[in-house]
Amino acid sequence: MVTIPNLISILRLLLVPAVVLAMLQSYWGWAFAGFVVAGVSDGVDGFVARHFNQRSRLGSYLDPMADKLLLVSVFVVLGI
């Protein structure tokens, strides 16, 4: 079942390559903006899932996967 929170999590997954690419090309403002958008959307999708009862099994995998992928990717790029 595809819900609004799942779509927001998929958006966050799609933001990861954009943030990484911006960091690799030294567009720090764009990278920061993408990171902020991802952070805000994480809160929004959690709020929508809880308050509108749109929790799903897919979402229970997508949400943490999007969070971890973004954080690990940013740490790796900064480490390089």
Side-chain angles (χ1 to χ4, degrees):
M1 173 182 238
V2 178
T3 62
I4 298 295
N6 291 350
L7 292 174
I8 294 171
S9 292
I10 291 169
L11 169 74
R12 281 200 336 266
L13 282 171
L14 296 175
L15 272 176
V16 171
V19 169
V20 168
L21 186 63
M23 291 174 70
L24 290 173
Q25 295 181 347
S26 298
Y27 293 128
W28 300 109
W30 285 107
F32 181 69
F35 194 82
V36 168
V37 167
V40 170
S41 67
D42 185 28
V44 169
D45 90 11
F47 175 80
V48 171
R50 281 188 302 276
H51 285 84
F52 296 103
N53 198 25
Q54 291 191 359
R55 297 181 191 139
S56 70
R57 186 173 179 156
L58 176 62
S60 70
Y61 291 108
L62 278 178
D63 186 53
M65 183 171 46
D67 295 339
K68 304 299 185 284
L69 184 63
L70 179 65
L71 288 176
V72 168
S73 299
V74 167
F75 286 144
V76 168
V77 171
L78 288 174
I80 293 172

